[in-house]
Amino acid sequence: MAEVRLELIEKIEGEAQVRYHYEKDHIDFAEILFLTGRGIERILEGRDPWDALAINPRVCGICGHAHLIATVRALEDCYDDLQVSAKAKQIRELTLAFEVLQNHFKWFYLTILPLLELKAPMERVLEPSRLLGEMIALLAGQYPHNSYAIPGGISGEITPVELLGVRERHQRIRKHFQESVIHVDLEQFVRCDRIETMLEREGDLPRAMQRILDWGWERLGRSHDRFIVFGSNDLFEAGKSIGTRLRRHLDLRYLQESPIQGSRARRVLYRGRSYETGPLARAMLLKTPLTREAHRRYGDSLFSRILARVCEIPRLLRYTESLIGSIDLSEPAWVDPGPLPVEAEGVGIVEAARGSLIHQVRVGEGKIQKYRIVTPTQWNLGNGSREDPGVAQAALIGLRRGDPAELVFKSFDVCSVCTTK
Amino acid sequence: MRLLWLSALACNGNAHSLLNYPGFQEWQEDFHWLYHPLLPSRYTFPEIEKGIEGVEVLIVDGTLEEGLIKNRLPYRELLLRYGDQAERIVTVGTCATFGGIFAQGGGGRSGLHFEGDEHLKGYERFWEKTVSLPGCPVQPEVLAGTLSIIRRRDPLPLDTLHRPKYFYAYTIHDGCTRNEYFEYKIDEHHFGTLEGCMFYDHGCQGTFTHGSCNKILWNGVNSKTRAGTPCLGCTEPDFPREGLWRTPKHMGIPARMPLGVPRRAYLGLAGIAKAFRIERFTRPLMEDEGG
Ligand code: SF4
Ligand code: SF4
C-alpha cells in the first residue's frame, strides 16, 4: 500500500521538508524540499566586488567563515599575479580550520548524540565552541561574521600576544577532545585502524558508535558510494572516488546546477552524476585508516559518515598546531594587490565543515556581474528523480518504518540556509 | 522566563552567537526555551504551529517576507498569535529589526517595524512592547543582557529606534585601539598593520554606528576595527550600504561626520590636529622610540 507522508526536519540551520513515499513497510522514494531562500547571489550583483567580503559570511551563521575564505580566493583569482605572504595564508587556513572544528563539535554534540538518545553535559559543546570562536576572533576580529580576509592578505596585524591566546586555547581543546570525545593519545588515534580498538576506549565517540552497533544501524544510510573533494591543502586532497577507486583530476567545467521543482535548492552534479562531499569523502580520498576500515565493513553508511567526521577533529588539531608553529610573524600581513581588474573572473574553493564550497565571480566594469555559490549541502541534499536519486535521497530510500530516517538525513549535517542561500 | 524564538529568513548567526556567551550555562538557568532553532526546546516547530501557551518573550530573528511559509502556516500568523501572547518582543539582529542584507534580495522584505529607517505600520500594535537588538549578528552579551534585564523587570531605557541605551548609547569608535590616529587626524592607513584609522579611506563607520563592539569586545577578545577591518555599520538601518570598504568623500573630506559633530567643528579640529604633525603617530608601534 502506497502512502505519502510529509515531515518537517528542524534544527538544521533552518528547516527542510521531506516527503516520504512509503511502499508497504519501506521508503520507496523521498523528496527533500527547502521552502525558503534569500537570494544572496542576486544581492551581490551590481555591487563593488569587495562588498562580497562583507555580505557572503552572512550566507550562513555556522559556516560563514568558509564563505569569507571562498570569497577572498575568488577575488584574488581575478588578478593575474597576486602576492599573498605565507603568513597571511597560514592565518587564513587557521581560522578556517577553527571553524570546521567548531562545526564538528556542534554537530556531534547537538545533533547526533540526542538522536542516539545519549546525553552529555552541555558544557562539552559550549566550551569548544566558545574557545574556537575566541581563537578566530583573536586573529580575525570577531566570530561569527568577520571580514578580515581581503585580497592581498589579512586586514590586521598579528602579534605574539594573539598567537599565545590561540595556543593556550588550542591546548585546552586538545585536552577536551581527549577527556570527552575519546580517551586516547591523538597521534595514536590518527593511526588507529581497528574499529574494536576505538570502541574499547572511553568517551562520547565510542559510546555513540557502540550505540549505532547495538541498535543494528551500522549499515543504514548507504548511498551511491561516490565521493568528491574539490579543495586541497596540506590536510586534504582533491579528487573523486567511486568506491575506493580514485581519480585526482577534476575540472569545474563539468559542474552542472539545475533547479529542483517545488524547492528553493538547486541540485549539483559532476559530469551528470551526483557525489557525496564532506568528511567521509575527504577521508576516502585520503584513505585514512579508521574510516577506510569502517567503509570496508559497512560501506558509505551513517556509521562511516559519523565516524569520518569526528575523526577529522584530531587531524585538524594536528594540522592547526603545525600551522601555528610555522607562522613567521616578520612577514607582511598584507601586500597591496593594486585595484581589482575591472573585467575578470575568479574561482574560490574551500573545504568547509560539510564539504566542498565553490564561489565563482565575474567582474565587469568594476562591479560584480555574476556570482555563483555552490555549497556542500547542495551536493549531498539535492533532489534527483526516482531513476537517479540524489545522495541523501539514495540513503533514505529502502529504509523501513522504525528505521532512524532523521539520523540518516542528519548524518549529512544538512545546512538549510546554505542550500538555498 | 519562557522564550519563543521564531526565525524568518535568517542565517542563524544570532542563534550561534548567543552560544558564545561566556556565562551561558548560568544565564540559561533562568530561561526556558519553548523553541530555539538550535538548542533543545520544550516544543517542536509543528507544535508551535498548532498553538502553545505561556510565551513571555517572543524573539523575532531574520528578515520578514510577505507570504513567507516555513512549514504549514504563514509566518505572519505565528507572529501575530505569539506577539499578542508575549509581554515583550525582541527583534534580534539587523534583519529582524531593519530588514538587513536579505531585504535586498527580493520584494516584500523588511524588519518587524522598519524597512531601513522607514517606520512600517504592519505590526504597529506591537511597537510599544518591542525592543530592537540590531547587529549582524547581535553580540551575545547584548542579547543575554537585555533578556536578563527584562526578566528582572529593571528599567530598560531605549533610543528612538527602541535599542537599549545600555548597549547602543556608545559608538563603535569608543574603545577602538586606533583612536589616537583618528584624534590627531593621521589619515594614512594600510591594511595589515596595527596602526592607522579606517575612517578616512577605508569606509569605517565606527564614529556614527551605535553599539558596544569595542567596549564589550567580540568573543571577549577583539573587534573588527582592532583587527583592521572597517566597521560596516551593521547595527544601523542603512546596513549594508554600497561600497563598504571605501569612504565616500565630499571635497576630499569624509562625507559622513562622527555622530552629532557639525562639519565645521570637525574641520576646525582637524586643521589644528594636522598642524602639529606629531611624530609618534608616523612610526610603527613596535619600533623603538629612538629608532
Ligand atoms: S578605525 Fe573606525 S572605530 Fe577605529 S578609531 Fe578609526 S573611525 Fe574609530
Ligand atoms: S564593528 Fe560595526 S560592523 Fe562590526 S559588528 Fe560592530 S557594529 Fe557591526
Side-chain angles (χ1 to χ4, degrees):
Chain A
M1 194 190 64
E3 180 202 328
V4 178
R5 216 172 65 212
L6 188 70
E7 270 184 35
L8 181 74
I9 312 273
E10 315 173 47
K11 309 207 180 194
I12 49 169
E13 312 309 321
E15 295 83 21
Q17 288 180 339
V18 186
R19 198 180 292 140
Y20 292 108
H21 299 251
Y22 283 94
E23 187 62 50
K24 298 217 182 78
D25 66 337
H26 70 272
I27 298 173
D28 172 54
F29 188 52
E31 294 162 276
I32 302 162
L33 308 170
F34 295 91
L35 299 191
T36 62
R38 295 158 302 161
I40 294 260
E41 290 150 322
R42 216 173 328 141
I43 294 170
L44 292 167
E45 282 165 21
R47 293 190 76 119
D48 183 322
W50 276 54
D51 282 1
L53 300 165
I55 289 174
N56 289 348
R58 274 83 178 185
V59 170
C60 180
I62 188 163
C63 69
H65 200 66
H67 286 279
L68 172 72
I69 303 298
T71 306
V72 79
R73 288 182 183 166
L75 293 181
E76 287 181 341
D77 193 38
C78 290
Y79 289 84
D80 279 336
D81 177 31
L82 174 132
Q83 305 292 318
V84 180
S85 69
K87 173 172 102 174
K89 282 191 195 150
Q90 286 159 336
I91 291 171
R92 288 183 194 172
E93 276 290 315
L94 267 183
T95 53
L96 176 64
F98 291 157
E99 181 180 78
V100 174
L101 276 165
Q102 193 210 45
N103 282 207
H104 288 1
F105 279 108
K106 279 185 174 171
W107 171 80
F108 181 63
Y109 279 103
L110 287 173
T111 304
I112 296 303
L113 286 192
L115 287 169
L116 295 172
E117 295 174 30
L118 293 171
K119 283 204 180 13
M122 196 62 181
E123 198 49 26
R124 286 205 192 147
V125 59
L126 290 176
E127 194 195 11
S129 302
R130 191 177 55 240
L131 289 171
L132 286 155
E134 289 167 12
M135 289 153 82
I136 299 173
L138 278 164
L139 302 171
Q142 69 178 75
Y143 189 79
H145 295 351
N146 63 69
S147 301
Y148 91 119
I150 57 175
I154 59 174
S155 67
E157 177 59 299
I158 305 302
T159 74
V161 181
E162 286 78 40
L163 275 190
L164 183 66
V166 169
R167 275 205 184 91
E168 287 170 358
R169 288 169 176 83
H170 193 278
Q171 262 177 19
R172 180 63 216 127
I173 289 169
R174 208 184 157 116
K175 270 215 194 96
H176 171 87
F177 182 80
Q178 281 167 300
E179 283 164 9
S180 308
V181 182
I182 182 161
H183 298 207
V184 63
D185 176 68
L186 238 56
E187 302 300 322
Q188 217 183 320
F189 185 52
V190 168
R191 283 194 306 270
C192 168
D193 62 358
R194 289 192 59 242
I195 306 284
E196 283 69 28
T197 314
M198 180 268 299
L199 290 172
E200 278 162 15
R201 299 287 171 159
E202 297 276 303
D204 294 326
L205 175 68
R207 274 208 299 156
M209 302 323 286
Q210 188 60 54
R211 175 61 55 95
I212 293 172
L213 291 168
D214 290 346
W215 288 357
W217 290 352
E218 65 277 9
R219 285 189 173 78
L220 300 181
R222 269 168 302 162
S223 182
H224 301 303
D225 212 16
R226 291 196 295 262
F227 308 98
I228 206 158
V229 177
F230 282 89
S232 58
N233 55 17
D234 289 341
L235 185 63
F236 301 129
E237 284 174 34
K240 64 187 174 111
S241 95
I242 298 178
T244 47
R245 268 180 302 121
L246 299 192
R247 271 202 64 160
R248 293 279 166 218
H249 183 71
L250 294 178
D251 187 334
L252 281 183
R253 280 175 306 185
Y254 295 123
L255 202 82
Q256 296 155 255
E257 263 192 303
S258 52
I260 298 168
Q261 233 203 339
S263 171
R264 299 289 295 265
R266 292 190 306 254
R267 185 185 194 197
V268 47
L269 302 173
Y270 187 81
R271 290 192 108 158
R273 302 174 96 178
S274 52
Y275 285 85
E276 173 166 353
T277 185
L280 177 57
R282 293 194 285 247
M284 291 302 289
L285 266 290
L286 288 173
K287 304 187 180 228
T288 59
L290 197 59
T291 305
R292 201 160 64 155
E293 176 60 12
H295 180 267
R296 194 185 61 77
R297 288 197 199 174
Y298 310 123
D300 56 339
S301 69
L302 63 87
F303 185 97
S304 304
R305 213 168 275 128
I306 293 171
L307 185 66
R309 187 147 182 199
V310 180
C311 285
E312 243 182 37
I313 296 178
R315 292 184 172 270
L316 284 158
L317 285 173
R318 287 201 320 174
Y319 174 56
T320 48
E321 192 173 316
S322 82
L323 274 173
I324 297 169
S326 61
I327 291 174
D328 174 0
L329 283 176
S330 68
E331 291 180 20
W334 182 71
V335 181
D336 190 347
L340 198 85
V342 270
E343 311 284 331
E345 283 186 2
V347 182
I349 299 174
V350 156
E351 278 308 307
R354 291 161 194 75
S356 303
L357 170 66
I358 302 167
H359 282 214
Q360 288 169 291
V361 64
R362 193 167 71 223
V363 178
E365 295 173 20
K367 304 272 183 209
I368 297 173
Q369 259 178 2
K370 194 162 173 47
Y371 207 102
R372 182 161 89 137
I373 302 174
V374 175
T375 61
T377 312
Q378 277 177 272
W379 288 100
N380 292 342
L381 274 292
N383 265 344
S385 57
R386 274 175 193 269
E387 298 70 42
D388 173 27
V391 175
Q393 275 179 312
L396 290 167
I397 292 171
L399 293 181
R400 295 175 184 277
R401 282 179 212 271
D403 280 347
E406 188 176 348
L407 181 65
V408 169
F409 190 88
K410 289 187 173 175
S411 71
F412 293 98
D413 194 12
V414 189
C415 179
S416 170
V417 294
C418 273
T419 317
T420 55
K421 296 167 275 189
Chain B
M1 179 164 244
R2 292 180 297 272
L3 309 171
L4 174 65
W5 184 304
L6 280 186
S7 305
L9 301 178
C11 74
N12 236 9
N14 293 305
H16 283 284
S17 186
L18 178 62
L19 296 192
N20 294 333
Y21 184 48
F24 187 83
Q25 285 271 69
E26 295 70 30
W27 176 84
Q28 213 184 215
E29 286 168 14
D30 294 327
F31 295 93
H32 304 281
W33 293 110
L34 298 173
Y35 193 78
H36 182 280
L38 298 169
L39 297 168
S41 321
R42 170 115 172 247
Y43 297 104
T44 64
F45 193 75
E47 286 169 335
I48 301 297
E49 288 187 313
K50 247 184 243 145
I52 60 157
E53 293 297 328
V55 177
E56 290 176 280
V57 176
L58 171 65
I59 297 173
V60 181
D61 181 18
T63 307
L64 308 191
E65 182 184 51
E66 258 172 54
L68 174 69
I69 295 177
K70 276 171 65 87
N71 184 36
R72 289 167 195 273
L73 286 189
Y75 186 79
R76 183 178 163 79
E77 229 175 286
L78 296 174
L79 257 185
L80 290 171
R81 185 200 295 163
Y82 294 116
D84 279 328
Q85 205 181 103
E87 283 166 46
R88 288 310 271 276
I89 298 174
V90 174
T91 59
V92 59
T94 302
C95 292
T97 307
F98 303 121
I101 291 182
F102 309 140
Q104 300 182 356
R109 295 186 180 182
S110 69
L112 183 65
H113 297 292
F114 296 94
E115 188 179 341
D117 52 16
E118 184 194 345
H119 191 126
L120 308 171
K121 296 291 168 201
Y123 296 94
E124 192 55 18
R125 68 175 196 256
F126 296 152
W127 174 239
E128 274 316 308
K129 59 172 152 182
T130 299
V131 177
S132 308
L133 299 183
C136 191
V138 70
Q139 280 187 290
E141 292 79 1
V142 172
L143 176 54
T146 300
L147 289 171
S148 289
I149 294 170
I150 291 175
R151 191 187 70 83
R152 299 166 57 89
R153 300 187 191 279
D154 286 341
L156 185 65
L158 305 175
D159 68 11
T160 54
L161 302 173
H162 280 194
R163 297 177 293 198
K165 283 274 188 190
Y166 297 140
F167 300 109
Y168 294 87
Y170 310 93
T171 66
I172 303 313
H173 180 67
D174 291 335
C176 177
T177 51
R178 297 167 187 274
N179 245 310
E180 284 191 312
Y181 298 89
F182 178 85
E183 281 175 50
Y184 295 99
K185 301 294 149 229
I186 312 299
D187 51 15
E188 200 174 310
H189 168 260
H190 300 279
F191 289 115
T193 60
L194 298 169
E195 301 82 7
C197 160
M198 286 84 77
F199 175 74
Y200 307 100
D201 284 321
H202 292 137
C204 186
Q205 303 188 42
T207 58
F208 44 83
T209 297
H210 295 82
S212 290
C213 300
N214 273 312
K215 174 175 179 281
I216 291 174
L217 292 184
W218 274 94
N219 311 81
V221 295
N222 211 350
S223 72
K224 272 201 193 70
T225 63
R226 290 181 178 203
T229 311
C231 167
L232 310 168
C234 81
T235 58
E236 297 294 338
D238 61 350
F239 176 74
R241 66 145 216 243
E242 295 253 359
L244 287 157
W245 297 78
R246 280 180 285 112
T247 303
K249 302 262 177 87
H250 181 63
M251 315 228 308
I253 306 288
R256 188 126 178 229
M257 290 287 103
L259 198 65
V261 176
R263 204 168 176 78
R264 270 186 42 225
Y266 176 86
L267 290 175
L269 279 170
I272 297 170
K274 278 196 156 218
F276 286 100
R277 298 176 186 279
I278 297 167
E279 205 257 323
R280 176 160 78 90
F281 300 121
T282 62
R283 256 200 329 253
L285 276 174
M286 296 299 146
E287 203 166 89
D288 258 358
E289 271 141 71

